[in-house]
Amino acid sequence: MSRFFRRLLTALLVFTAASAFCLLLYHYDNKYTQSASQAIAGTLFVSEDDLVAYPVRSLWNGWNFYPDVLLSPKTCENRDKSTVRSVQIGAYSNFAFGSTERTPHGCGTYMLTLLLPETPRQYLIELPEIFSAYRFYIDDELVLSAGETNDEQYRSWLQNRAVSFEGSGTVRLLLAVRDESWIYSGMTYPPAFGTALGVNTQRAVRVCISAAMLTLMLLFASFALWLCLGSMRCPPNSRLFLLLSLSAAVLLSGPVVHALKALPVQPWYTIELVSGYLTTLLIVLLHGRICALPNAVRKAAVLVCAGICGAALLCGVCAAHLSEWSIRAFSDLTVLFRLAVTVYLLGSALYAARRREWHAGALFCADIFYGTLFLWDCLLPAYEPILGKWFYEWGCLLLVCVLGAVFWQDIAQGYRRSLTFTEEQRQMARQLAMQKAHFAQISEKIEESRRQRHDFRQHLRTIAGMAGDPEAQLTYISRITALSEATRPESYCHDPAVDAMLYYYVSSARRTGIRVSVRAELSEDTAAFSVQFCTILGNLLENALEACWRLPESTEKSICLHMKQQFRRLYVVLENSYDGEVNRRGSAFLSRKHTGSGIGTASVRELTRRLGGTVEFEPQESIFRVVLILPERADEEE
């Protein structure tokens, strides 16, 4: 299957999964799709069977609304019924009711009559944020108020609140509300009504879900902050990811904050509004950096997002003075903006895929999911979550999590590269020391050989003087030969770097009573020997020595090394004695010198992977075996 069809199939699968997710939320976590009965013409009948089947319901339909007046239980009795209109909560977001002729601000009174079972029971009604000041009555009693509704002393004050009451028979709910400060006005979100247990359980679950998401974002932010403050060189994109996590935390914190604290509209709701667009801006910026888009494209995208953030800030600050036309224009602009963001994210992921970036697949799937959520958000406008989040918030949460995973993987790879580089530096320093020691040994042998050549004429005279005794001559010649052999430098292969390393470790092993066997069948002209290969071999020999040193003195210790070039591959087999104790975490070996994974084995794995080879660690009962295979030309390509 070609790459194009694989991507197309992946996109279809992700689109299907995201669509199923949206439809699941729409049907089972939506206030507007509940099967519970709704009010008709301002009256809702609730039976005992209804309470058993639906202990909680959203009151979104059939409210009587009196525009431009603030009524109380006393004044509503004589009110002219001709001005009343039946409204659906959520169909319109303010008092303009979709008309550009009306102002979105002002006041009004909502009224609903409940026909409850005759048996008295404790009920609970939850009022979400109601914009932006109200007085709530149950029958003739004022049970809840927020802010100040008088025109001269108007003061906004919002909180998600609940009030319980004991009722039976006919119960009248009356809500008088005024707004002069926000783009929403009145009862925008449907209240929840039902048994005390049912409503309280629903509220608790909603707050817990929001708190879990908020905690996740704060953990991301704490991790990014630790990276920024915990090292001299801040990892790339860590500050940007810190800002993204904090912005997403503000975006997702609404249910928790509004359940705990009553807040005025300004500046809190402006901050909440801007946080959504700021989160999108930071996602676009970080996404573009990770996908390595051209600077001109990234700057243009950031400028557009910054402009929308500025428009959202201006809209929030000037909300009290906006007309219905300007609010609708801003809403249409944000839809186009989110469409442009979706196209940008998908395009950048495809750009990264063409460049064979390892993270392109994850980002592409996340972007498809985000785009699908945006599509269903446009197709299913009658959606308000009961427990979870809006489609847009789910999409942002997913993108932040995927970007966080990519960011974490980049940090982990950078850490592994840093460990490998540090190990290479250490091995290079040791290699230099080995070569110096090897050179000193060779120099000593050469000097000894020079002295023997100087004394050679004396040996000839001595042999000539033994002309009559052939047996004495042969004995003397054998002694001279033994002295000459002793001056020959010890060598294992033709490569100077590898030969020096082998001489160093073999000498160290033999000094401590370890039996060593080395066979290096390497050609004179090979490209397999380099700093990387010497680092790998040095780590393996060092680990073998340390394993032997941990054995008791009475135990026989041995190291056997065999290297051979064949079929354009370099094969290395190393076996050493050890105490049989192996500490592992998954496939990684844990160090016995410090906590955590062994740096040497991790460096061997990383360098072998980088060179295109394979390495296998095979611990047996008393012998630890390592098998290494490297391409012969790996280092030239590197």
Side-chain angles (χ1 to χ4, degrees):
M1 185 182 295
S2 67
R3 188 182 301 114
F4 171 78
F5 284 106
R6 283 200 304 269
R7 289 176 185 166
L8 181 61
L9 179 60
T10 301
L12 290 175
L13 290 175
V14 175
F15 175 80
T16 302
S19 298
F21 176 74
C22 291
L23 293 174
L24 188 69
L25 292 180
Y26 180 79
H27 287 289
Y28 296 103
D29 188 36
N30 186 6
K31 294 180 179 180
Y32 298 107
T33 56
Q34 289 181 320
S35 301
S37 59
Q38 292 293 320
I40 299 176
T43 302
L44 173 64
F45 175 77
V46 181
S47 66
E48 291 281 359
D49 293 338
D50 287 339
L51 289 175
V52 173
Y54 305 103
V56 184
R57 72 186 66 209
S58 298
L59 304 178
W60 57 268
N61 195 34
W63 285 79
N64 284 336
F65 180 72
Y66 296 86
D68 303 322
V69 292
L70 293 174
L71 301 178
S72 67
K74 294 181 180 180
T75 59
C76 72
E77 297 293 342
N78 301 322
R79 185 68 187 175
D80 183 7
K81 304 297 183 182
S82 63
T83 60
V84 69
R85 59 184 298 177
S86 182
V87 297
Q88 177 180 315
I89 308 302
Y92 301 99
S93 60
N94 53 52
F95 289 146
F97 293 102
S99 172
T100 55
E101 304 282 329
R102 291 177 55 88
T103 173
H105 309 290
C107 63
T109 301
Y110 298 85
M111 187 183 301
L112 184 67
T113 300
L114 302 176
L115 300 180
L116 302 177
E118 294 300 325
T119 303
R121 182 184 278 107
Q122 197 73 21
Y123 296 95
L124 193 71
I125 183 167
E126 178 194 24
L127 297 178
E129 303 100 283
I130 296 174
F131 299 91
S132 297
Y134 64 87
R135 298 170 70 84
F136 181 59
Y137 302 86
I138 297 180
D139 288 332
D140 296 331
E141 181 183 0
L142 176 64
V143 294
L144 207 59
S145 64
E148 182 55 60
T149 58
N150 291 333
D151 193 13
E152 297 80 6
Q153 301 173 331
Y154 169 77
R155 179 169 56 92
S156 65
W157 204 253
L158 288 89
Q159 186 180 14
N160 189 327
R161 305 178 70 177
V163 59
S164 64
F165 64 95
E166 184 175 345
S168 62
T170 302
V171 175
R172 185 174 59 187
L173 308 179
L174 189 145
L175 178 73
V177 57
R178 176 183 293 278
D179 173 76
E180 302 292 347
S181 55
W182 194 235
I183 54 178
Y184 298 156
S185 54
M187 191 158 46
T188 305
Y189 309 119
F193 168 76
T195 63
L197 177 61
V199 176
N200 277 327
T201 301
Q202 180 175 287
R203 297 184 72 207
V205 172
R206 183 194 310 119
V207 171
C208 287
I209 291 175
S210 182
M213 296 178 181
L214 176 61
T215 301
L216 179 63
M217 294 300 103
L218 292 179
L219 287 176
F220 283 170
S222 300
F223 171 68
L225 181 62
W226 175 76
L227 288 176
C228 292
L229 301 179
S231 60
M232 295 297 293
R233 184 177 180 273
C234 184
N237 298 327
S238 55
R239 293 188 182 90
L240 189 58
F241 187 69
L242 170 62
L243 294 176
L244 174 59
S245 302
L246 293 175
S247 178
V250 175
L251 174 64
L252 300 171
S253 65
V256 175
V257 173
H258 298 313
L260 298 177
K261 183 70 175 175
L263 298 170
V265 167
Q266 300 293 354
W268 305 109
Y269 278 80
T270 298
I271 294 174
E272 189 173 317
L273 174 66
V274 174
S275 68
Y277 299 100
L278 180 61
T279 300
T280 304
L281 165 63
L282 295 171
I283 286 174
V284 166
L285 182 55
L286 185 57
H287 198 287
R289 284 191 180 183
I290 290 176
C291 294
L293 291 179
N295 286 333
V297 177
R298 283 158 43 195
K299 288 180 180 178
V302 169
L303 286 176
V304 171
C305 294
I308 295 295
C309 286
L313 178 61
L314 184 64
C315 182
V317 172
C318 302
H321 309 288
L322 294 179
S323 64
E324 173 64 12
W325 180 88
S326 57
I327 293 174
R328 189 182 300 177
F330 177 74
S331 178
D332 294 340
L333 177 64
T334 57
V335 172
L336 294 176
F337 168 68
R338 290 176 57 191
L339 175 61
V341 167
T342 302
V343 173
Y344 171 84
L345 294 178
L346 287 172
S348 59
L350 290 174
Y351 177 81
R354 289 180 62 87
R355 299 176 70 248
R356 303 293 182 88
E357 298 287 347
W358 65 268
H359 47 253
L363 291 177
F364 180 70
C365 292
D367 296 338
I368 290 288
F369 203 98
Y370 177 86
T372 306
L373 293 181
F374 165 71
L375 174 64
W376 284 107
D377 193 24
C378 296
L379 296 176
L380 304 174
Y383 172 73
E384 183 178 334
I386 299 173
L387 302 176
K389 296 291 182 181
W390 303 85
F391 291 153
Y392 170 72
E393 293 174 327
W394 281 114
C396 288
L397 177 66
L398 175 67
L399 281 177
V400 172
C401 290
V402 171
L403 290 172
V406 172
F407 174 68
W408 165 257
Q409 188 67 18
D410 281 341
I411 294 296
Q413 287 187 352
Y415 179 70
R416 286 196 297 268
R417 286 193 293 267
S418 176
L419 282 180
T420 303
F421 177 75
T422 302
E423 187 63 22
E424 286 181 358
Q425 294 294 102
R426 189 177 72 87
Q427 288 296 338
M428 286 178 65
R430 176 164 290 188
Q431 180 72 20
L432 180 59
M434 294 175 189
Q435 290 181 347
K436 287 182 178 179
H438 198 212
F439 179 75
Q441 181 245 1
I442 293 175
S443 298
E444 181 181 346
K445 299 294 185 180
I446 292 175
E447 182 62 24
E448 181 66 24
S449 178
R450 188 184 65 81
R451 286 196 301 269
Q452 289 185 7
R453 287 197 304 271
H454 179 269
D455 296 336
F456 190 66
R457 63 179 183 274
Q458 304 298 334
H459 295 310
L460 291 177
R461 290 172 184 170
T462 302
I463 293 172
M466 298 178 181
D469 190 354
E471 186 175 345
Q473 285 180 332
L474 291 175
T475 302
Y476 190 81
I477 290 173
S478 63
R479 291 176 181 175
I480 295 174
T481 303
L483 289 174
S484 177
E485 289 294 331
T487 61
R488 180 185 300 174
E490 189 171 8
S491 178
Y492 300 95
C493 68
H494 297 287
D495 186 89
V498 177
D499 192 49
M501 175 174 290
L502 293 175
Y503 172 78
Y504 175 85
Y505 283 109
V506 169
S507 300
S508 299
R510 287 174 177 169
R511 282 196 302 269
T512 55
I514 301 174
R515 181 169 52 85
V516 183
S517 172
V518 176
R519 186 170 59 175
E521 302 177 16
L522 305 178
S523 64
E524 295 186 12
D525 182 22
T526 176
F529 307 125
S530 68
V531 174
Q532 289 88 345
F533 175 71
C534 288
T535 301
I536 294 172
L537 186 60
N539 275 315
L540 294 178
L541 290 172
E542 185 176 355
N543 290 342
L545 274 177
E546 292 177 354
C548 290
W549 289 339
R550 280 193 290 267
L551 291 171
E553 291 293 333
S554 58
T555 305
E556 183 179 354
K557 310 168 188 177
S558 65
I559 296 176
C560 180
L561 174 65
H562 184 198
M563 296 188 295
K564 184 176 183 179
Q565 281 180 265
Q566 192 175 15
F567 308 120
R568 299 183 64 81
R569 295 286 188 275
L570 173 62
Y571 300 88
V572 179
V573 179
L574 176 63
E575 295 179 343
N576 62 271
S577 307
Y578 84 117
D579 57 9
E581 181 180 345
V582 177
N583 296 327
R584 276 185 170 182
R585 182 184 296 155
S587 61
F589 289 89
L590 301 181
S591 174
R592 296 173 67 174
K593 295 182 288 186
H594 55 79
T595 57
S597 301
I599 298 177
T601 54
S603 175
V604 168
R605 289 185 188 275
E606 175 65 19
L607 285 173
T608 303
R609 182 196 62 78
R610 196 187 302 176
L611 297 175
T614 60
V615 61
E616 295 291 338
F617 298 92
E618 304 172 359
Q620 300 171 5
E621 184 176 352
S622 60
I623 297 295
F624 195 96
R625 190 166 187 261
V626 181
V627 178
L628 173 71
I629 303 176
L630 291 178
E632 188 177 275
R633 299 290 172 177
D635 291 323
E636 283 188 350
E637 295 172 2
E638 189 71 14

